Amino acid sequence: MADTQVREKTPVDFWFDPLCPWAWMTSRWMLEVEKVRDVEVRWHVMSLAVLNENKLDELPERYRELLGPKGWAPVRVVIAAQQKHGEEITGKLYTALGTRIHNEDKGATREVIAEALEEVGLPAELLAYADSDEYDQVLRDSHNDGIERVGQEVGTPVISVPGAAKGDEVAFFGPVVTPTPRGEAAARLWDGTLLVASTPGFYEIKRTRTKGPSFE
């Protein structure tokens, strides 16, 4: 008799800022992982503007500009869309935004946000939230939920999965990778990342980046 039991997928919580090209690369990898492992990604917003708001004076001018009003606009619109139209729209809107911002190199302009909203069938009126602080506390709560799992010394993305024991959690920043691994390469990176991240006392593997993100 065939085994008809449906295996429950492991939830993978993923925190992103639409502006970050490295988070975008990792997010596309996670979509590959969904195809080859029994996982389901749940998308959440975090904000580089929030993360760096108390140390802007220490950042280069180009980063200060990026993390100003321009940096708040995409995450504000995404969080507003999530609040008004449900959690399931978050990943779709992120994909529409990220494709334009990163793959098409259009940047996070108001026109790009409007195009992304139209693509996923959301009302154009949501663009007004780019300049609104109405959902800023919800945004900060989402940001803090992610960053508190890994500490303030990292950025985006943050990933969290259930640990081996009930109630345990494995959370980490990254991985930072380019180009996006596909197929079995994506699966191997996932398995290896979980292996090291779930090791008690393990904190860091790092080497100098010699290439920028490759949006293949």
Side-chain angles (χ1 to χ4, degrees):
M1 180 180 294
D3 183 3
T4 59
Q5 184 176 3
V6 177
R7 246 189 317 187
E8 186 175 348
K9 292 188 176 183
T10 300
V12 178
D13 291 294
F14 188 107
W15 281 263
F16 67 91
D17 184 320
L19 290 179
C20 180
W22 294 106
W24 175 247
M25 299 297 300
T26 309
S27 73
R28 300 310 92 181
W29 164 68
M30 278 308 315
L31 294 182
E32 288 291 310
V33 174
E34 278 191 319
K35 300 174 185 177
V36 292
R37 291 292 182 266
D38 290 326
V39 302
E40 182 175 17
V41 183
R42 303 187 298 200
W43 304 99
H44 309 277
V45 172
M46 64 182 295
S47 169
L48 292 173
V50 171
L51 185 67
N52 292 284
E53 64 184 344
N54 294 323
K55 49 186 176 184
L56 287 178
D57 292 343
E58 305 169 16
L59 300 177
E61 183 177 351
R62 65 191 182 96
Y63 286 117
R64 290 201 299 271
E65 181 181 354
L66 180 67
L67 298 178
K70 183 185 294 186
W72 282 91
V75 287
R76 278 175 164 169
V77 172
V78 173
I79 205 75
Q82 186 185 83
Q83 293 301 298
K84 288 180 169 293
H85 297 275
E87 298 270 349
E88 65 279 357
I89 201 64
T90 310
K92 297 175 184 177
L93 183 53
Y94 179 32
T95 291
L97 283 168
T99 299
R100 290 167 171 80
I101 293 170
H102 304 297
N103 293 62
E104 299 175 10
D105 197 25
K106 291 182 176 179
T109 65
R110 301 305 167 97
E111 291 77 14
V112 158
I113 298 173
E115 288 175 9
L117 289 171
E118 183 179 7
E119 179 184 322
V120 299
L122 290 173
E125 290 78 10
L126 283 170
L127 184 59
Y129 287 94
D131 301 308
S132 170
D133 63 1
E134 180 175 345
Y135 293 112
D136 278 8
Q137 189 56 56
V138 180
L139 169 59
R140 290 177 181 276
D141 290 344
S142 179
H143 172 90
N144 290 333
D145 184 27
I147 204 70
E148 286 175 0
R149 299 169 191 245
V150 290
Q152 297 291 330
E153 294 80 17
V154 302
T156 176
V158 169
I159 293 175
S160 175
V161 298
K166 187 175 181 180
D168 283 355
E169 166 189 63
V170 177
F172 50 89
F173 160 73
V176 175
V177 60
T178 188
T180 298
R182 308 287 181 183
E184 271 308 302
R188 287 195 301 271
L189 179 57
W190 177 248
D191 295 342
T193 299
L194 289 187
L195 177 63
V196 296
S198 61
T199 299
F202 176 85
Y203 293 107
E204 187 172 358
I205 285 179
K206 192 170 184 178
R207 57 186 172 188
T208 301
R209 290 198 297 262
T210 58
K211 296 180 181 179
S214 174
F215 308 118
E216 295 180 357

